[in-house]
């Protein structure tokens, strides 16, 4: 993959399709989420290997609270477990973890794991891994604009950077209220591959697709 050396890429991923992946295999949806967590590990490693600057992952949307309580509880516990188990190795690999979204509605154990992971990895400069939990882009924008702000100050308050490349797995072609502001000029990539099957080869194929696109930002593209 070719990336412009002066600008480190920000890749955002809507990790969709865990439930369908499990259901088509006669497994409970929770099994799809567990395999999906393994996919996260592998994709983070791949991102580090490619020198990607920032990776923002949509793990749990504000709308996902509407799911059955056992599935929600399973996801909360999986996220907590992921942060507790992965933070030390991510720290060793120079990854800084931050979490986007509301903190006041997640279980206390997860809230603590978030704070601990953020503190432990605060010095990481290689890859900025952002995990969106109880996240809604609309909520994020609304709380950021509470009192008139500039675009720059708004971006700062939203706590992320402009997305260069947005990937959604699972076959649906929508944003689901993810990073609305930040995706203003993002290149979009939709794949039918379900998240648990999205391995380094699929990630590479997506990045290769991005690498040959012409971004014009409203101007006439250079010939
Ligand atoms: C994405 O997979 C994970 C979360 C939204 C938490 P889904 O659980 O939405 O999987 P599908 O879309 O039902 O297959
Ligand atoms: C989007 O997936 C949110 C995450 C991947 C965390 P959903 O499965 O929740 O989105 P919809 O319901 O298909 O829009
Ligand atoms: Mg889904």
């Amino acid at each position: 993959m070719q990336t412009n050396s002066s600008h480190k890429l920000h890749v955002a991923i809507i990790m969709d399709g865990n439930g369908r992946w499990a259901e088509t295999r006669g497994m409970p949806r929770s099994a799809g989420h567990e395999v999906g967590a393994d996919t996260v590990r592998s994709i983070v490693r791949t991102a580090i290997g490619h020198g990607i600057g920032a990776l923002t992952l949509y793990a749990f949307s504000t709308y996902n609270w509407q799911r059955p309580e056992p599935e929600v509880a399973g996801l909360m516990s999986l996220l907590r477990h992921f942060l507790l188990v992965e933070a030390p190795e991510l720290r060793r690999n120079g990854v800084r973890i931050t979490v986007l979204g509301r903190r006041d509605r997640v279980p206390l154990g997860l809230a603590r794991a978030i704070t601990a992971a953020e503190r432990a990895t605060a010095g990481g400069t290689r890859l900025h891994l952002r995990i969106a939990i109880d996240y809604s882009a609309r909520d994020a924008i609304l709380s950021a604009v509470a009192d008139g702000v500039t675009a720059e100050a708004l971006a700062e308050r939203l706590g992320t950077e402009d997305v260069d490349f947005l990937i959604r797995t699972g076959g649906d072609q929508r944003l689901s209220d993810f990073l609305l502001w930040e995706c203003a000029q993002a290149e979009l990539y939709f794949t039918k591959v379900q998240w648990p099957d999205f391995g380094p080869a699929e990630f590479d194929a997506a990045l290769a697709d991005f690498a040959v696109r012409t971004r014009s930002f409203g101007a006439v593209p250079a010939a």
Side-chain angles (χ1 to χ4, degrees), residues 13-18 20 29 57-64 67 132 135 168-169 172 174-178:
I13 307 184
I14 300 174
M15 308 183 290
D16 198 16
N18 293 349
R20 282 163 287 171
R29 292 175 59 85
L57 302 178
Y58 207 0
F60 189 89
S61 89
T62 288
Y63 308 86
N64 293 146
R67 295 186 178 198
Y135 175 85
R168 182 173 186 138
T169 65
D172 289 313
R174 54 178 170 253
L175 283 180
S176 300
D177 203 2
F178 189 45

Side-chain angles (χ1 to χ4, degrees), residues 130-145:
R130 291 193 196 83
I131 306 175
I133 301 173
D134 195 3
Y135 175 85
S136 151
R138 288 193 165 180
D139 284 355
I141 292 169
L142 281 175
S143 42
V145 294

Side-chain angles (χ1 to χ4, degrees), residues 10-93:
H10 176 191
V11 177
I13 307 184
I14 300 174
M15 308 183 290
D16 198 16
N18 293 349
R20 282 163 287 171
W21 182 91
E23 280 157 12
T24 55
R25 285 162 182 76
M27 294 154 90
R29 292 175 59 85
S30 60
H33 297 314
E34 277 159 31
V35 179
D38 294 335
T39 305
V40 172
R41 287 182 194 97
S42 111
I43 292 305
V44 169
R45 271 198 297 274
T46 308
I48 296 171
H50 283 312
I52 286 169
L55 182 65
T56 305
L57 302 178
Y58 207 0
F60 189 89
S61 89
T62 288
Y63 308 86
N64 293 146
W65 291 117
Q66 297 170 64
R67 295 186 178 198
E69 200 276 331
E71 179 169 349
V72 170
L75 284 164
M76 294 296 133
S77 138
L78 196 59
L79 286 163
R80 181 177 139 272
H81 191 252
F82 180 88
L83 290 167
L84 291 176
V85 171
E86 299 301 317
E89 195 191 330
L90 292 171
R91 174 199 162 109
R92 280 194 292 279
N93 288 320

